[in-house]
Amino acid sequence: MTKSNSTRSGYPRTSRSLPISLLRAREVVMQPIRDMLGELGLTEQKWRILRTLDELGEVEQSTIAKEACLLLPSLTRILRGMEADGLISRQSDAKDKRRTLVTITDKGRAIVRDNLHLANDISARIESHMGEDEVKQLLDLLEKLQAAKL
Amino acid sequence: MTKSNSTRSGYPRTSRSLPISLLRAREVVMQPIRDMLGELGLTEQKWRILRTLDELGEVEQSTIAKEACLLLPSLTRILRGMEADGLISRQSDAKDKRRTLVTITDKGRAIVRDNLHLANDISARIESHMGEDEVKQLLDLLEKLQAAKL
DNA sequence: TATTGTTATACTCTATAACTATA
DNA sequence: TATAGTTATAGAGTATAACAATA
């Protein structure tokens, strides 16, 4: 006895819609992270930028925009605030002066280091619910989806 | 030879972070849908509300909020606009006057019907990239994740 | 007293176009 | 001419608290 994947009208159910299902799943995972970020005074976007910079080192802004799913105009504004807060620093690329290179500061890196354990706790809770293998499988499938050109 | 899942500093890579990976995957899937919605003059949120109402029939606002991942104050404002546009209608529940029951109108339903094929096209493109089985597997895993209480 | 929904408010992000500087 | 980034601007969503009506 399985649940039907379409409504009476023949439309696919929203739970079988990738965009909606990805969003709902993300909301579940994000809730505890939002609580953490609220206490840190960081937005989700700033956290993604810190994680991205911590991972990639010095990069230009277009790269951050792509990795952290932000538009360049948004990024300009957000980075201005983060620079004022001492979380990142910027300098123009000597080889191509159009480019601005961004790095995470020690202060920013400390925030990542001090809080990433909480993100790991959340992962552990998910793994205890779904099983470690299935989380791994899910991450693999998400990576594969990201590689798709639509 | 497999890619390491952690950075030099020992942090998990962002591509193995569920929140970030879910977001990036969603961005890939949403891009063509955003193009469609732009032409229709609908926001993503309004589209999710229409899909939800089309699927569930007459429901109270709290239910919509949960299904479409919106806060009630946002929903109040958005529904006001959608009612003015003739996409939905509202009436207070006779049995419990605190509740407001919302339904999709014929006009709203027509918009869903006329555009859902495009969402299906996108699914088809994803399936041609990932394989039908893997898309199904991904949807199953996402549903399982949504059931997690964190 | 608790719940459903609305209002108010401040903040933030999104989206697009126009613009500057550089290549 | 094309690209990287900024600025300007309008629109929309988020988040929280306070509130009204009802249960």
Side-chain angles (χ1 to χ4, degrees):
Chain A
M1 202 64 112
T2 58
K3 219 185 300 182
S4 165
N5 286 333
S6 58
T7 58
R8 277 167 304 172
S9 47
Y11 304 153
R13 296 174 60 239
T14 53
S15 60
R16 305 306 285 182
S17 150
L18 270 178
I20 292 180
S21 205
L22 287 166
L23 178 60
R24 288 179 183 157
R26 186 163 192 274
E27 285 301 304
V28 169
V29 177
M30 279 305 296
Q31 195 46 62
I33 295 178
R34 286 208 185 92
D35 298 341
M36 168 192 88
L37 294 178
E39 286 171 26
L40 290 173
L42 291 179
T43 61
E44 289 178 41
Q45 289 78 1
K46 287 178 182 173
W47 177 249
R48 289 204 303 275
I49 291 169
L50 288 177
R51 293 281 313 262
T52 299
L53 288 174
D54 179 56
E55 177 168 309
L56 299 183
E58 188 172 62
V59 285
E60 59 191 289
Q61 297 188 183
S62 299
T63 304
I64 302 173
K66 196 170 53 182
E67 292 287 311
C69 299
L70 293 165
L71 296 178
L72 267 178
S74 301
L75 192 60
T76 293
R77 180 184 40 72
I78 296 169
L79 288 179
R80 186 160 47 222
M82 293 176 75
E83 189 172 33
D85 293 340
L87 301 175
I88 59 110
S89 66
R90 293 193 284 184
Q91 62 171 60
S92 87
D93 184 342
K95 289 165 202 136
D96 181 345
K97 286 183 181 167
R98 291 173 305 181
R99 292 178 155 79
T100 304
L101 296 175
V102 184
T103 50
I104 189 171
T105 62
D106 288 345
K107 181 178 174 186
R109 203 180 298 275
I111 291 179
V112 174
R113 192 184 339 261
D114 292 347
N115 292 283
L116 210 52
H117 67 89
L118 206 149
N120 294 341
D121 289 351
I122 294 162
S123 283
R125 272 184 276 171
I126 295 170
E127 282 171 2
S128 76
H129 178 267
M130 298 182 61
E132 195 177 338
D133 286 352
E134 288 193 313
V135 173
K136 190 173 172 308
Q137 203 172 27
L138 175 55
L139 286 166
D140 289 343
L141 289 168
L142 290 172
E143 278 196 88
K144 191 161 179 180
L145 175 53
Q146 284 168 58
K149 299 281 165 288
L150 309 177
Chain B
M1 203 62 114
T2 58
K3 220 185 299 182
S4 166
N5 286 334
S6 58
T7 58
R8 276 166 305 171
S9 47
Y11 304 152
R13 295 173 62 237
T14 54
S15 60
R16 303 307 286 182
S17 152
L18 270 177
I20 292 179
S21 204
L22 287 165
L23 177 60
R24 288 179 183 157
R26 186 164 191 274
E27 286 301 305
V28 169
V29 177
M30 279 304 296
Q31 195 45 63
I33 295 178
R34 286 209 186 92
D35 297 342
M36 169 192 86
L37 294 177
E39 285 169 26
L40 290 174
L42 291 177
T43 62
E44 288 179 43
Q45 289 79 0
K46 288 178 182 172
W47 178 248
R48 290 204 302 274
I49 292 168
L50 289 177
R51 293 283 312 261
T52 299
L53 288 173
D54 179 56
E55 176 167 308
L56 298 183
E58 188 173 60
V59 285
E60 59 191 291
Q61 295 188 185
S62 299
T63 304
I64 303 173
K66 197 170 53 184
E67 292 288 310
C69 300
L70 293 165
L71 296 178
L72 267 176
S74 301
L75 191 62
T76 293
R77 182 182 38 72
I78 296 169
L79 287 179
R80 187 160 47 224
M82 292 176 76
E83 189 172 31
D85 292 342
L87 301 175
I88 59 112
S89 67
R90 293 193 286 183
Q91 61 172 59
S92 87
D93 185 343
K95 289 164 201 138
D96 181 347
K97 286 184 181 170
R98 290 173 306 181
R99 291 177 155 78
T100 303
L101 296 175
V102 183
T103 50
I104 189 170
T105 62
D106 288 345
K107 180 177 175 185
R109 203 181 298 275
I111 290 179
V112 173
R113 192 186 336 262
D114 291 348
N115 291 284
L116 211 52
H117 66 88
L118 206 148
N120 294 340
D121 289 351
I122 294 163
S123 284
R125 271 183 276 172
I126 295 168
E127 283 169 3
S128 76
H129 178 265
M130 297 181 64
E132 196 176 337
D133 287 351
E134 287 194 312
V135 172
K136 190 171 174 308
Q137 203 173 26
L138 175 55
L139 285 166
D140 290 342
L141 290 169
L142 290 172
E143 277 195 90
K144 192 162 180 181
L145 174 54
Q146 284 168 59
K149 299 280 164 289
L150 309 178

